[in-house]
Amino acid sequence: MNNIVFLTFYLIFYFSGLGIIKLFSRNSKNNLDNINNSKLLFHDLYPLLTLFILGNLNLFLNFFLPLNKIVLPLLSIIFSLFIYGLFTSFKSRFKSISILNQLIVPLIVSFSSYGIKFHYDAGAYHLNYQNWIYKEKIVFGLSNLNPYYSYGSIQEYISATFQYFELNLLLYFVELIFFVSFLGFLYTLIRQNKNFFLKKSALLLSIFLFMDNFGYKGGGNGSVQIQMVSKPDTAVGILWVITTLFIINALVRKETNNTELFIILLTSLFAFQLKINSAPLVLLIIFYLYYFKNKLNFFHKNNLWLYFLAFSFFVKNLVISGCFIYPLNITCVRKVRWINFSHIKESGDITKGRGEPLRLNNGLIEWFNNFFSHANNEQIYTNLLLTLLIIFFFNKIYYKQRKKERYLLKLYIIFLILNYALFLLTVPAFRNGFGLFMSTVLIFSITESARKESLNFLFNKFTYITGILIISILLPRSFMYSDARNNSLDLKDFDIEVSTYTNLDEDYVYSNETNQCWEKQNCILRTKYNVVITSSKINNYLFIESKN
């Protein structure tokens, strides 16, 4: 039953995205449906467009209203877009629909919803932040109750919508939409024959996904993976790869337009709003803008909407924490009354200490040993190197080598080196590198090399379908299939954990067992920097301050 519920959920977001595209196309000179290969590039990503718009609409409206006051109109709008998109698709005899992408893959991948559970961080801050969004309009200084609210991403504004249904599965389904859209996107690119770069890139990325299931200590090569509920890392990794593909595709073709710029800015903004570790994509975007400076209008009217959404996101961060980008001190505004610099310093120190970042105080060899012995790093990076080596030999065997686009290849290698260095110097937890690791394979597809004709028989529709099906089947773990069987495929939700609380004062409590508040709205993460919490209302907005 979980599978049917997810398929319905996915299709609602798919056809809603199609409805949005059709409405946009009717009122714009730049028709998203008719630009260079736009159906090829974008139609499997319609659900992501719906999520992006839903999250940003919720964020903007939360400046004025709690989400529970507007959730029914929002759901009505989504349903209306779904009907419109479905009707539009029916009129075209469902030409853009693939049985594999829109039916079979969602049904297979949704087996992962059996046996899934909340990530620890869901109870620590994600769910309660969503609770605040749902029940209160934006709160000045909310991070004084829990400094991790400062990291609140657009995912919280998307997920908060589904509190209305009281079904935790929907929170996981939001994350699962990224997987299904990505697999459909890859299959569509592999099947087409108009754009060799995209075809080869999608094939190599599929091999990377497949190899994640095999290798040293059982596999795991840094590919996107099923995470416990409420973590955005897989979504960020997928958007990173998609954005990179779009940009390099334009550079290889030496052709682009303002609508492609709009799509690139949208996917990169979405990635940044999910997690700020996607910010280095701006380096690639800057080069893209410079390369096409005579063809693109950065201030095109369509782009202005995205800049407004980005501005709203930064203002939200300032209101919550006192910083435009938390916990970067340089972006913090010292004069706002609700800022707590002790929390900012503590959060920054904790974040910087995760994953054994590159530090040469005790020598490179000692850091290297510490890094590879940390968590699963030895397993992940050994398999990453093995996967890249296999793809290298695959490229040598199956493709003719040409010397085209060497300049672009060198620039992209520089981009990768800078990003790997930044990754190792900041927070090198492997989940923060999903997009970077996967997009490394593009170094083998930038130089357009034709397949060897003698091996063409290996590349056919049957091979592609089989490959995507195998990847889809391997995504859910074996225990998930077992759990589905044990539950007779009935609807199975998962629950929050139970905690006990102690009163801090007449307004707030804290958890006794852990720092997890789950959905208890007046629960705080108790630190030595928020011993005293004061609340006040100004013009009907809640202000929260804290001190030692």
Side-chain angles (χ1 to χ4, degrees):
M1 192 63 179
N2 286 19
N3 309 68
I4 301 300
V5 175
F6 173 69
L7 179 62
T8 304
F9 187 80
Y10 166 78
L11 289 175
I12 287 172
F13 277 81
Y14 178 88
F15 285 112
S16 296
L18 174 59
I20 292 167
I21 291 291
K22 294 300 182 182
L23 285 174
F24 181 88
S25 299
R26 289 177 60 182
N27 296 286
S28 172
K29 292 181 181 179
N30 287 324
N31 190 324
L32 285 181
D33 257 355
N34 294 324
I35 64 167
N36 301 325
N37 297 323
S38 66
K39 287 185 178 180
L40 160 70
L41 291 174
F42 207 72
H43 79 267
D44 288 297
L45 307 181
Y46 288 160
L48 305 189
L49 176 64
T50 309
L51 291 176
F52 174 79
I53 291 176
L54 175 63
N56 277 281
L57 185 59
N58 286 346
L59 187 153
F60 176 72
L61 293 175
N62 191 237
F63 279 99
F64 313 102
L65 292 165
L67 191 55
N68 61 9
K69 300 290 186 185
I70 53 175
V71 65
L72 283 178
L74 284 172
L75 293 173
S76 299
I77 291 171
I78 291 175
F79 187 73
S80 299
L81 288 168
F82 162 70
I83 296 297
Y84 179 63
L86 186 63
F87 176 72
T88 301
S89 190
F90 175 77
K91 286 202 306 182
S92 65
R93 298 183 180 180
F94 297 102
K95 285 184 179 179
S96 66
I97 298 296
S98 161
I99 292 176
L100 180 68
N101 292 355
Q102 274 72 57
L103 292 175
I104 298 175
V105 169
L107 287 172
I108 294 174
V109 174
S110 57
F111 275 105
S112 63
S113 63
Y114 290 96
I116 199 72
K117 61 181 181 179
F118 280 117
H119 191 278
Y120 182 90
D121 289 349
Y125 62 97
H126 288 294
L127 291 177
N128 216 10
Y129 186 59
Q130 293 167 25
N131 210 21
W132 278 97
I133 295 168
Y134 192 74
K135 295 180 179 179
E136 299 284 343
K137 62 183 177 181
I138 196 165
V139 176
F140 288 75
L142 183 63
S143 63
N144 286 303
L145 302 183
N146 186 331
Y148 293 99
Y149 291 158
S150 304
Y151 295 107
S153 75
I154 200 68
Q155 180 171 304
E156 318 297 2
Y157 289 86
I158 297 169
S159 298
T161 310
F162 305 107
Q163 282 203 17
Y164 177 80
F165 296 99
E166 298 183 352
L167 184 66
N168 293 324
L169 268 177
L170 299 183
L171 304 183
Y172 177 60
F173 289 167
V174 169
E175 301 166 30
L176 208 54
I177 278 179
F178 284 88
F179 262 119
V180 172
S181 300
F182 188 51
L183 290 175
F185 178 66
L186 293 181
Y187 176 67
T188 300
L189 297 188
I190 291 173
R191 279 202 62 192
Q192 59 82 35
N193 292 306
K194 294 181 180 179
N195 189 313
F196 184 80
F197 165 73
L198 290 176
K199 186 182 185 76
K200 185 179 178 182
S201 297
L203 180 60
L204 299 185
L205 286 165
S206 299
I207 294 172
F208 195 99
L209 286 168
F210 175 76
M211 290 304 302
D212 183 59
N213 300 279
F214 309 97
Y216 179 61
K217 293 186 178 181
N221 61 6
S223 171
V224 289
Q225 58 186 235
I226 300 290
Q227 292 183 287
M228 288 185 283
V229 182
S230 288
K231 299 310 291 179
D233 305 291
T234 286
V236 173
I238 287 170
L239 288 168
W240 178 294
V241 172
I242 290 170
T243 304
T244 305
L245 270 175
F246 286 163
I247 293 174
I248 296 180
N249 176 48
L251 295 171
V252 168
R253 284 172 24 231
K254 297 181 174 61
E255 183 181 350
T256 193
N257 56 45
N258 282 316
T259 309
E260 287 190 357
L261 171 61
F262 175 80
I263 294 172
I264 288 167
L265 292 175
L266 187 152
T267 55
S268 57
L269 174 60
F270 197 5
F272 180 79
Q273 289 179 319
L274 283 165
K275 201 167 184 179
I276 63 171
N277 68 332
S278 59
L281 281 172
V282 73
L283 299 175
L284 206 55
I285 294 171
I286 289 172
F287 179 75
Y288 164 76
L289 290 170
Y290 175 77
Y291 188 89
F292 292 111
K293 59 181 180 293
N294 296 323
K295 292 185 177 182
L296 297 174
N297 179 5
F298 186 68
F299 295 103
H300 189 279
K301 62 180 180 180
N302 294 335
N303 299 341
L304 296 180
W305 286 105
L306 297 179
Y307 305 148
F308 172 75
L309 296 179
F311 175 76
S312 299
F313 185 76
F314 286 125
V315 172
K316 181 273 298 181
N317 290 344
L318 177 66
V319 170
I320 298 294
S321 67
C323 304
F324 290 106
I325 303 176
Y326 188 91
L328 297 180
N329 263 306
I330 195 172
T331 70
C332 300
V333 180
R334 294 182 175 273
K335 292 185 178 181
V336 297
R337 53 187 283 188
W338 58 88
I339 197 167
N340 187 323
F341 275 103
S342 298
H343 268 164
I344 296 168
K345 184 179 185 306
E346 182 183 50
S347 296
D349 291 342
I350 291 172
T351 300
K352 284 184 233 175
R354 289 176 178 164
E356 292 291 334
L358 177 58
R359 300 290 184 268
L360 300 181
N361 300 343
N362 299 316
L364 182 61
I365 294 176
E366 183 170 342
W367 168 80
F368 184 86
N369 291 332
N370 290 337
F371 178 76
F372 269 81
S373 61
H374 178 77
N376 298 317
N377 283 358
E378 180 187 359
Q379 176 184 354
I380 296 295
Y381 293 105
T382 300
N383 285 317
L384 173 61
L385 290 174
L386 287 172
T387 299
L388 293 175
L389 192 61
I390 289 169
I391 291 175
F392 170 79
F393 283 114
F394 175 87
N395 186 54
K396 285 285 186 183
I397 292 169
Y398 289 100
Y399 291 93
K400 299 174 184 177
Q401 304 307 307
R402 295 181 180 175
K403 293 186 177 181
K404 286 182 65 178
E405 309 300 341
R406 291 294 182 184
Y407 174 70
L408 180 57
L409 175 61
K410 290 175 183 177
L411 284 174
Y412 185 62
I413 290 174
I414 292 172
F415 171 75
L416 288 176
I417 291 171
L418 288 173
N419 274 281
Y420 274 103
L422 188 61
F423 172 75
L424 291 173
L425 287 166
T426 53
V427 189
F430 74 88
R431 59 189 174 89
N432 290 333
F434 286 158
L436 176 61
F437 301 151
M438 293 184 67
S439 62
T440 303
V441 305
L442 301 185
I443 61 176
F444 303 113
S445 58
I446 287 178
T447 52
E448 294 194 24
S449 46
R451 286 200 308 261
K452 295 178 179 177
E453 292 180 7
S454 59
L455 298 170
N456 272 347
F457 70 95
L458 293 173
F459 301 88
N460 54 64
K461 183 178 178 180
F462 176 77
T463 306
Y464 302 148
I465 291 176
T466 303
I468 292 297
L469 283 176
I470 291 173
I471 293 169
S472 302
I473 291 168
L474 291 174
L475 271 174
R477 301 309 176 193
S478 57
F479 75 88
M480 294 171 170
Y481 288 111
S482 298
D483 195 59
R485 185 182 65 250
N486 294 338
N487 285 276
S488 303
L489 294 178
D490 289 338
L491 182 66
K492 185 189 177 187
D493 200 9
F494 49 93
D495 297 319
I496 64 173
E497 296 180 16
V498 177
S499 295
T500 60
Y501 304 93
T502 297
N503 290 330
L504 176 70
D505 53 33
E506 61 183 12
D507 294 317
Y508 300 106
V509 301
Y510 58 88
S511 175
N512 292 325
E513 294 84 10
T514 64
N515 65 356
Q516 293 174 292
C517 289
W518 294 101
E519 293 180 324
K520 194 166 184 65
Q521 188 172 346
N522 67 333
C523 178
I524 73 164
L525 172 60
R526 195 179 186 191
T527 74
K528 58 185 177 182
Y529 303 118
N530 64 354
V531 176
V532 179
I533 296 176
T534 57
S535 304
S536 59
K537 279 210 168 184
I538 302 175
N539 295 328
N540 209 31
Y541 281 91
L542 180 62
F543 285 72
I544 298 175
E545 301 171 60
S546 66
K547 58 184 179 181
N548 300 0

